Amino acid sequence: MTELLNNREHKKEELKKLILRIHNGEDVNTLKEEFRQVLSGISPLEIPIVEQELVKEGVSAKDIAKMCDLHVELFRESVAGTDELEERDLPDGHPLKTLYAENKEIMKDAEMLNLYARTLASTKDERMGKEILGVLEELISDLRGVGFTHYNREEMLIFPYIERRGLTAIATVLWTKHDEIRFMIKHFAELLKRKNELPWDEFTSRLVEKGGKLSFALSDMVFRENNIYYPTLKALLTDGEWKAIREQEEEMGFYKVNPPAWDPGEDVKPLHPWEIDPELSVEQLLGLPKEVQQALKGKPLEFDKSELKREGDVDMGTGYMNVEELRAVFEALPVDVTFIDRDDRVRFFSPGERIFDRTLSVLGRPVQLCHPPKSVHIVNRILRAFKEGRKSEATFWLHLGPKYVYIKYVPLFDKGGNYMGTLEMTMDIAEYRKIEGEKRLLDWRVEVKRETT
Amino acid sequence: MTELLNNREHKKEELKKLILRIHNGEDVNTLKEEFRQVLSGISPLEIPIVEQELVKEGVSAKDIAKMCDLHVELFRESVAGTDELEERDLPDGHPLKTLYAENKEIMKDAEMLNLYARTLASTKDERMGKEILGVLEELISDLRGVGFTHYNREEMLIFPYIERRGLTAIATVLWTKHDEIRFMIKHFAELLKRKNELPWDEFTSRLVEKGGKLSFALSDMVFRENNIYYPTLKALLTDGEWKAIREQEEEMGFYKVNPPAWDPGEDVKPLHPWEIDPELSVEQLLGLPKEVQQALKGKPLEFDKSELKREGDVDMGTGYMNVEELRAVFEALPVDVTFIDRDDRVRFFSPGERIFDRTLSVLGRPVQLCHPPKSVHIVNRILRAFKEGRKSEATFWLHLGPKYVYIKYVPLFDKGGNYMGTLEMTMDIAEYRKIEGEKRLLDWRVEVKRETT
């Protein structure tokens, strides 16, 4: 114990010297390696205590704040090295490897959160407290990203593959837990904002409690995923499936990792959930983690073999619809659409009740002949600007009785960048100007109740 | 002259007696025939003068107002009987017969307008003036309808047929004149509103001037249409074309007529402009009015033979688009769309940048599995209400950073009334809440100028 204290005392003196050099203008980055050496001898758990003592001895909080990044880095280094086993045989950029890597980041941040919340509760120094609060705010703001990236990718990109194979329960349980964590993160962030509102002791003890629970929930999820969910994925998903997943990942983003491109081979066709064979082979079944095998016993899996593409469906690139559905969609849109092709001829208008009438006779008619002669020169000027790429939209708005009509023209181009035509979109925006506040999905019950009473 | 005055004096006395009976409670309708007999001896041009004298003698303006309808009716009877020649051999409900019938109404109203404007200028009686103003306001309000119905049907339903045949000049000239009349009507209505603003003499002399010009322009258009345009249509358009026109007329409405249904026969296929053979036969050419034949001499007609339907086009019912165009339209829409089919499976989402991410993996997935487990019961409740026809929409709105997100769900039904699925529409309405005033097509020039200076 004495030795530990002596060591800390020694390190503290070293740190003070370094901080003085920062204070005198030396850049923190050039001192990075020296900081690393000094800090490496102290347990991450001790760093806040050392900091607190430094503050007491008059070192400026501003200077100490500059060390924060180094603490985090050091802490990460100290917990690195877990879960290596599962990842070892996966190539870089493989979605599963990325998931493992993100879980390491999540685990670290979860532990940091817990640690800093506890340190905050025990510190008596105001400046010190302020800085820890700053770290906590940053951490919780980072952790919100877990929901948008890591969890969201699992829920949207990966769950469909196991649902098809009948393992819907795993998806539902994980999503429920994800949402619990999302709420805990949200509530912790809200609590942090109340720092000037609550008595300090009450504030910090609540932070410790909520931080502990959140930290535990995050770690617990990492544990479940690493030990049950990811091995399940590994046993079931084929290269084609991972390839399709990889193609869509970037859109949703990652949690503190930046995976390289990965392609199992040009000959491997990306497989979307509706394209797979959902039946489990014996090999796949035996490859599942014991917990999952146990859960499946006695319950036959309900494979989802429904076909997405029906006879006569139009392949829209992002789905399949038949013509009757397509027409109904256009009729239901809150936007009236008219499309003129590259030759300025009216090619399509959306059916149903419209703000400005369109009749079948207008099909094939040059748009110049559909306008009052007086304004034709403007129509031509807009189209020229579109075709020459000088304009990408033209908007207009006007009152029409109780309607406030908003009109937007945009040019459409094919994949080769060639002009395909111009789309006219007309909508009544009067209603949208009256809306106030919020009405969310979960409020729907209330509305129904009101109507039936 | 003395006789005329005596006659008027006599009729005036008769009218006074009748009006007294109205005043004493007898219904104007039961007295209609007696009114007709008394009024029939007076020229329509004299009626306002008689009225004016009655007002001077103390007959209440209110009672005289009740006679207004009768004047109008009488005036119409007096001008009826023209253009009978052209109509005679057309069946009731035939679009061309309807056009002729509307022109009679337009002609009468045009003459009434001129007549009443002049009477107003000559009257010295205030009450009388007030009543004539009332009649003028009603007349001009009616006449605005000419633009929405009679002219609009010609421009949108009928012009395309003669344009295809190369007679674009006729269409352009008529439309230009229609628009001039629309503006004259608008300006006359605006002038009427300034009655308390301008000195009375200036006000009435302007009314006489504008009323005279408008009346002339309306009558002149009737003359042109009846003598040149309609005979041209009669020579060129076939039963199939008139049938297609008749099918679309009701949507736009009529001017003071109510034509019955008309069908040239079940075996006659409705022909839309893009389906006709635009080349003129010798018979058609010789059937054209002399003025048109004269105009066509020396200039070869440029028939429009462009095909509307291309290979691979999807027949949308209200036009033809290929899949690349369809996709581009959905991508350009200011509304993100997701469609789930009758089995609650995601079948399509619109591509491109979206408010809420959608990835291909979601296709074919039951919508219940696409939602956080916590809110699934609400999703199911909404879908049940849609399928059972208890609800026709569900709307939600919420703030999302700078976006104000508006979400609308509607059920889609096929023509047989069977549930086809549900459409989710998501849009950012923040922009629409900031818009002020108006920006019309003709303002576009200004914008471009500003940008280039």
Side-chain angles (χ1 to χ4, degrees), chain A residues 254-265:
Chain A
F254 305 96
Y255 190 70
K256 299 190 173 178
V257 300
N258 191 13
W262 169 77
D263 188 343

Side-chain angles (χ1 to χ4, degrees), chain A residues 155-157 159-160 163-164 168 172 175-176 179 183 248 251-252 272-274 304 306 308 310 313-321 323-330 332-335 337 339 345-349 351 357-361 363-365 369-374 378 381-382 391 394-399 404 406 410 412 414-415 420 423 425 427 429 431-433 435-442 444-445 451, chain B residues 155-157 159-160 163-164 168 172 175-176 179 183 248 251-252 272-274 304 306 308 310 313-321 323-330 332-335 337 339 345 347-349 351 357-361 363-365 369-375 378 381-382 391 394-399 404 406 410 412 414-415 420 423 425 427 429 431-433 435-442 444-445 451:
Chain A
E155 291 153 3
M156 289 303 171
L157 292 182
F159 285 179
E163 288 162 5
R164 280 255 152 186
T168 31
T172 306
W175 199 334
T176 304
D179 272 358
F183 277 100
Q248 299 169 76
E251 213 174 295
M252 298 183 165
H272 297 102
W274 71 92
D304 180 355
S306 66
L308 183 64
R310 303 156 304 188
D313 268 0
V314 179
D315 179 356
M316 297 292 295
T318 49
Y320 297 90
M321 275 194 288
V323 176
E324 191 168 18
E325 288 166 342
L326 264 172
R327 291 183 192 176
V329 166
F330 275 111
L333 283 179
V335 187
V337 158
F339 175 63
R345 285 176 186 273
V346 180
R347 178 149 286 288
F348 168 72
F349 59 86
D357 282 342
R358 293 282 181 271
T359 48
L360 290 177
S361 347
L363 292 177
R365 194 179 189 189
L369 298 178
C370 303
H371 275 260
K374 202 177 155 184
I378 312 244
R381 205 175 293 155
I382 293 174
K391 285 265 175 192
T395 53
F396 304 93
W397 49 91
L398 49 106
H399 293 283
Y404 200 17
Y406 186 78
V410 297
L412 303 186
D414 66 17
K415 282 188 181 160
M420 274 204 299
L423 188 67
M425 297 168 280
M427 57 202 295
I429 59 171
E431 192 192 344
Y432 308 134
R433 296 163 69 86
I435 286 166
E436 300 290 344
E438 299 204 329
K439 185 182 154 206
R440 286 165 174 273
L441 191 62
L442 287 164
W444 204 68
R445 196 168 47 89
E451 277 169 25
Chain B
E155 291 154 3
M156 289 303 173
L157 291 183
F159 285 180
E163 289 163 5
R164 279 255 153 187
T168 31
T172 306
W175 198 335
T176 303
D179 272 358
F183 276 100
Q248 299 169 75
E251 213 175 295
M252 297 182 164
H272 296 103
W274 71 92
D304 180 355
S306 67
L308 182 64
R310 303 156 305 188
D313 268 0
V314 179
D315 179 355
M316 297 292 294
T318 49
Y320 298 90
M321 276 196 287
V323 175
E324 192 169 17
E325 288 166 341
L326 263 172
R327 291 182 193 176
V329 166
F330 275 111
L333 283 179
V335 186
V337 158
F339 175 62
R345 285 177 187 272
R347 179 149 283 288
F348 169 73
F349 59 87
D357 282 342
R358 293 281 181 273
T359 49
L360 290 177
S361 347
L363 292 176
R365 194 179 189 191
L369 298 178
C370 303
H371 275 260
K374 203 177 156 186
S375 57
I378 311 243
R381 205 175 293 155
I382 293 174
K391 286 265 176 191
T395 53
F396 305 94
W397 49 92
L398 48 107
H399 294 283
Y404 200 17
Y406 185 79
V410 296
L412 304 186
D414 67 16
K415 282 190 181 160
M420 273 203 301
L423 188 68
M425 297 168 281
M427 58 202 294
I429 58 170
E431 192 190 345
Y432 309 133
R433 296 163 69 87
I435 285 165
E436 298 291 343
E438 299 205 327
K439 184 182 153 206
R440 287 166 174 271
L441 191 61
L442 288 164
W444 205 68
R445 197 168 45 89
E451 278 169 26

Side-chain angles (χ1 to χ4, degrees), chain A residues 365-388:
Chain A
R365 194 179 189 189
V367 72
Q368 288 82 2
L369 298 178
C370 303
H371 275 260
K374 202 177 155 184
S375 57
V376 166
H377 66 290
I378 312 244
V379 172
N380 282 328
R381 205 175 293 155
I382 293 174
L383 290 177
R384 207 157 45 237
F386 283 174
K387 289 172 186 177
E388 292 169 5

Side-chain angles (χ1 to χ4, degrees), chain A residues 81-90 96-97 100 104 226-227 231 234:
Chain A
T82 50
D83 306 318
E84 288 277 320
L85 202 67
E86 296 86 345
E87 282 185 76
R88 215 166 30 193
D89 51 345
L90 289 167
L96 193 54
K97 184 157 194 170
Y100 277 120
K104 265 185 217 161
N226 286 3
N227 293 294
K234 208 175 168 193

Side-chain angles (χ1 to χ4, degrees), chain B residues 201-439:
Chain B
D201 285 347
E202 191 188 331
F203 172 65
T204 54
S205 77
R206 282 210 215 171
L207 271 190
V208 168
E209 192 217 326
K210 277 190 190 288
K213 283 186 182 165
L214 170 55
S215 175
F216 177 79
L218 282 162
S219 312
D220 186 58
M221 179 53 67
V222 168
F223 180 83
R224 277 169 193 265
E225 291 183 343
N226 286 3
N227 293 292
I228 302 173
Y229 181 48
Y230 296 166
T232 302
L233 296 178
K234 209 175 166 193
L236 299 180
L237 270 62
T238 62
D239 270 358
E241 297 172 57
W242 288 118
K243 183 171 180 169
I245 291 168
R246 184 69 191 99
E247 285 176 356
Q248 299 169 75
E249 279 184 325
E250 304 285 341
E251 213 175 295
M252 297 182 164
F254 304 96
Y255 189 69
K256 297 189 171 179
V257 300
N258 192 12
W262 169 78
D263 188 342
E266 271 183 40
D267 50 324
V268 178
K269 190 184 159 291
L271 277 176
H272 296 103
W274 71 92
E275 297 169 316
I276 66 168
D277 173 10
E279 277 192 62
L280 269 61
S281 67
V282 175
E283 199 196 328
Q284 282 178 321
L285 262 171
L286 295 179
L288 288 173
K290 287 201 185 73
E291 294 89 338
V292 179
Q293 287 182 4
Q294 202 66 31
L296 294 181
K297 263 183 198 159
K299 293 175 213 157
L301 281 178
E302 285 182 29
F303 308 122
D304 180 355
K305 292 191 139 188
S306 67
E307 297 273 341
L308 182 64
K309 190 173 177 183
R310 303 156 305 188
E311 180 140 354
D313 268 0
V314 179
D315 179 355
M316 297 292 294
T318 49
Y320 298 90
M321 276 196 287
N322 63 36
V323 175
E324 192 169 17
E325 288 166 341
L326 263 172
R327 291 182 193 176
V329 166
F330 275 111
E331 184 160 351
L333 283 179
V335 186
D336 296 343
V337 158
T338 306
F339 175 62
I340 60 164
D341 64 17
R342 69 185 86 233
D343 302 319
D344 301 346
R345 285 177 187 272
V346 180
R347 179 149 283 288
F348 169 73
F349 59 87
S350 50
E353 207 180 306
R354 298 180 50 109
I355 296 170
F356 298 116
D357 282 342
R358 293 281 181 273
T359 49
L360 290 177
S361 347
V362 94
L363 292 176
R365 194 179 189 191
V367 72
Q368 288 82 0
L369 298 178
C370 303
H371 275 260
K374 203 177 156 186
S375 57
V376 166
H377 65 293
I378 311 243
V379 173
N380 282 327
R381 205 175 293 155
I382 293 174
L383 291 176
R384 206 157 47 237
F386 283 174
K387 289 171 185 176
E388 291 170 4
R390 285 181 288 110
K391 286 265 176 191
S392 60
E393 64 168 59
T395 53
F396 305 94
W397 49 92
L398 48 107
H399 294 283
L400 198 72
K403 290 179 182 141
Y404 200 17
V405 179
Y406 185 79
I407 306 162
K408 186 175 183 177
Y409 297 93
V410 296
L412 304 186
F413 298 92
D414 67 16
K415 282 190 181 160
N418 305 304
Y419 177 78
M420 273 203 301
T422 285
L423 188 68
E424 178 196 65
M425 297 168 281
T426 307
M427 58 202 294
D428 178 11
I429 58 170
E431 192 190 345
Y432 309 133
R433 296 163 69 87
K434 291 178 203 147
I435 285 165
E436 298 291 343
E438 299 205 327
K439 184 182 153 206

Side-chain angles (χ1 to χ4, degrees), chain A residues 126-351:
Chain A
E126 207 180 313
R127 269 192 307 176
M128 181 72 192
K130 230 173 172 174
E131 272 164 38
I132 296 176
L133 270 175
V135 176
L136 283 172
E137 277 160 10
E138 207 177 307
L139 265 174
I140 202 72
S141 154
D142 285 356
L143 282 168
R144 294 192 93 134
V146 173
F148 302 128
T149 58
H150 186 76
Y151 293 166
N152 196 29
R153 288 204 328 281
E154 294 184 336
E155 291 153 3
M156 289 303 171
L157 292 182
I158 305 178
F159 285 179
Y161 290 98
I162 60 167
E163 288 162 5
R164 280 255 152 186
R165 292 178 163 101
L167 299 166
T168 31
I170 295 186
T172 306
V173 168
L174 285 180
W175 199 334
T176 304
K177 295 222 164 275
H178 288 170
D179 272 358
E180 281 169 18
I181 293 173
R182 286 182 172 108
F183 277 100
M184 288 165 89
I185 291 172
K186 197 175 158 230
H187 290 151
F188 191 89
E190 281 163 5
L191 178 58
L192 269 181
K193 282 189 190 139
R194 297 179 64 199
K195 57 180 177 256
N196 298 323
E197 231 178 84
L198 295 171
W200 184 254
D201 285 346
E202 191 189 330
F203 172 66
T204 54
S205 76
R206 281 211 214 169
L207 271 189
V208 169
E209 192 218 328
K210 277 189 189 288
K213 284 186 181 165
L214 170 56
S215 175
F216 177 79
L218 280 163
S219 313
D220 186 58
M221 178 54 67
V222 167
F223 181 82
R224 278 169 192 264
E225 290 184 344
N226 286 3
N227 293 294
I228 302 173
Y229 180 48
Y230 296 166
T232 302
L233 296 178
K234 208 175 168 193
L236 299 180
L237 269 63
T238 62
D239 271 357
E241 296 171 56
W242 287 119
K243 182 170 181 169
I245 291 168
R246 183 70 190 98
E247 286 176 354
Q248 299 169 76
E249 278 185 326
E250 303 286 342
E251 213 174 295
M252 298 183 165
F254 305 96
Y255 190 70
K256 299 190 173 178
V257 300
N258 191 13
W262 169 77
D263 188 343
E266 270 182 41
D267 50 324
V268 178
K269 191 184 159 290
L271 278 177
H272 297 102
W274 71 92
E275 297 168 317
I276 67 167
D277 173 10
E279 276 192 63
L280 269 60
S281 67
V282 174
E283 201 195 327
Q284 282 178 321
L285 262 171
L286 295 180
L288 288 174
K290 285 200 186 75
E291 296 88 341
V292 178
Q293 286 182 5
Q294 202 66 30
L296 295 181
K297 261 182 198 160
K299 292 176 215 158
L301 281 177
E302 286 182 28
F303 308 123
D304 180 355
K305 291 191 138 186
S306 66
E307 297 273 340
L308 183 64
K309 189 172 177 183
R310 303 156 304 188
E311 179 138 357
D313 268 0
V314 179
D315 179 356
M316 297 292 295
T318 49
Y320 297 90
M321 275 194 288
N322 64 34
V323 176
E324 191 168 18
E325 288 166 342
L326 264 172
R327 291 183 192 176
V329 166
F330 275 111
E331 185 160 351
L333 283 179
V335 187
D336 296 344
V337 158
T338 307
F339 175 63
I340 60 165
D341 64 17
R342 69 184 86 231
D343 302 318
D344 301 346
R345 285 176 186 273
V346 180
R347 178 149 286 288
F348 168 72
F349 59 86
S350 51

